[in-house]
Amino acid sequence: MSIVNEEGDLEKEDHAYERPDFWVTTKNKQLNFMQHIKSLLKEHGRAAVVVPDNVLFEGGAGEVIRKNLLRQFDVHTLLRLPTGIFYAQGVKANVLFFDAKPAQEAPWTRKLWVYDLRTNQHFTLKTNPLKREHLDEFIAAYRPGKRHLRKPSWSEATPDGRWREYDYDELSKRDKTNLDICWLKDKSLEDAANLPEPAVLAQEILDDLQSALQQFAAVASELVDKRAEQSA
């Protein structure tokens, strides 16, 4: 889409990818990336994709993609990554695991297992980097090749457990099929004595502000595009 001003100069140029193998047309690069990955998978192919939080909760095209992904693929695992480890500054990331399946009437996703490695965890790129051993509990819980033997560490008796399952009916009833799921209580909000170091706290605030700014920028861009289309 090209927008030319009254002087005949190119004012803005934007792209939306329309492909027959995509569920929905959108200018959101992260959502298009997800659709591209699912299109590449052959039957019984497996994927583990790093995605920012907005892919899990964004409405519109995001909701369409999540609904189709849950129905047509076995979306079995979500790893919520801690902030401050990689990806764009201020963007919170996750790893979404899903397998390609043959066509069928019933949804392929029966249970989504979520591991929360974010809440009450504080990592930085330099002073406290994420290491391999921090993933040991998740890998043990994942049970590669034996997913049917998985057991949750969360229960009403163990509310601090980081490993929890959600069935398809629960997910499909969530507003906009929101997969940005969190159940652990943030201890820093409950007890001032548990607050992280000021530098860590300041960085977390900065990350949240930058993430919010990026989301507002995306909304503003869409509003400008819609206004331009209406004026054309």
Side-chain angles (χ1 to χ4, degrees):
M1 179 180 68
S2 300
I3 301 176
V4 180
N5 59 26
E6 295 179 355
E7 287 74 27
D9 297 325
L10 182 64
E11 192 170 272
K12 183 176 181 180
E13 189 168 19
D14 212 340
H15 302 277
Y17 298 92
E18 185 172 355
R19 285 174 37 174
D21 55 343
F22 278 15
W23 291 314
V24 64
T25 299
T26 175
K27 290 180 287 186
N28 184 302
K29 292 183 175 65
Q30 292 92 355
L31 294 178
N32 281 327
F33 177 70
M34 280 293 298
Q35 295 190 93
H36 181 62
I37 293 295
K38 70 89 180 173
S39 299
L40 291 176
L41 285 182
K42 297 180 180 180
E43 192 171 302
H44 302 299
R46 297 176 297 172
V49 186
V50 178
V51 297
D53 274 11
N54 71 287
V55 170
L56 303 180
F57 65 74
E58 188 169 308
E63 181 181 359
V64 172
I65 290 170
R66 289 190 297 276
K67 285 182 180 295
N68 280 284
L69 197 66
L70 291 173
R71 289 192 61 84
Q72 299 181 30
F73 291 76
D74 180 10
V75 186
H76 54 82
T77 311
L78 173 65
L79 170 61
R80 290 171 57 84
L81 295 172
T83 58
I85 55 170
F86 71 100
Y87 224 96
Q89 186 76 10
V91 178
K92 298 175 181 178
N94 315 264
V95 184
L96 193 63
F97 299 76
F98 55 93
D99 299 345
K101 296 292 183 179
Q104 70 170 19
E105 189 70 22
W108 270 110
T109 300
R110 295 178 176 86
K111 290 183 179 181
L112 172 66
W113 289 80
V114 183
Y115 188 89
D116 188 347
L117 189 59
R118 182 183 303 171
T119 307
N120 301 319
Q121 296 288 333
H122 303 287
F123 296 99
T124 59
L125 289 175
K126 295 182 179 180
T127 59
N128 186 31
L130 181 71
K131 298 179 180 179
R132 170 62 176 76
E133 56 262 30
H134 294 128
L135 294 168
D136 285 347
E137 183 178 307
F138 166 71
I139 294 171
Y142 187 96
R143 301 298 295 266
K146 298 180 180 179
R147 296 207 310 262
H148 61 288
L149 298 178
R150 289 178 171 180
K151 294 182 179 180
S153 62
W154 176 92
S155 69
E156 292 185 0
T158 56
D160 291 332
R162 295 186 176 275
W163 184 231
R164 185 174 179 177
E165 62 179 321
Y166 292 84
D167 62 34
Y168 176 80
D169 289 339
E170 289 180 275
L171 300 173
S172 62
K173 291 176 182 177
R174 291 174 60 86
D175 183 41
K176 299 179 182 178
T177 319
N178 188 335
L179 301 183
D180 186 27
I181 301 171
C182 182
W183 62 93
L184 296 176
K185 294 182 179 180
D186 190 336
K187 294 180 180 179
S188 66
L189 300 178
E190 296 179 342
D191 186 355
N194 289 325
L195 285 173
E197 292 296 322
V200 174
L201 188 61
Q203 185 61 51
E204 289 182 351
I205 294 173
L206 179 61
D207 289 346
D208 287 339
L209 289 173
Q210 289 176 328
S211 180
L213 182 60
Q214 290 177 352
Q215 294 176 30
F216 278 123
V219 171
S221 177
E222 289 186 10
L223 292 175
V224 171
D225 291 341
K226 289 181 180 178
R227 183 177 181 182
E229 291 174 1
Q230 293 171 355
S231 302

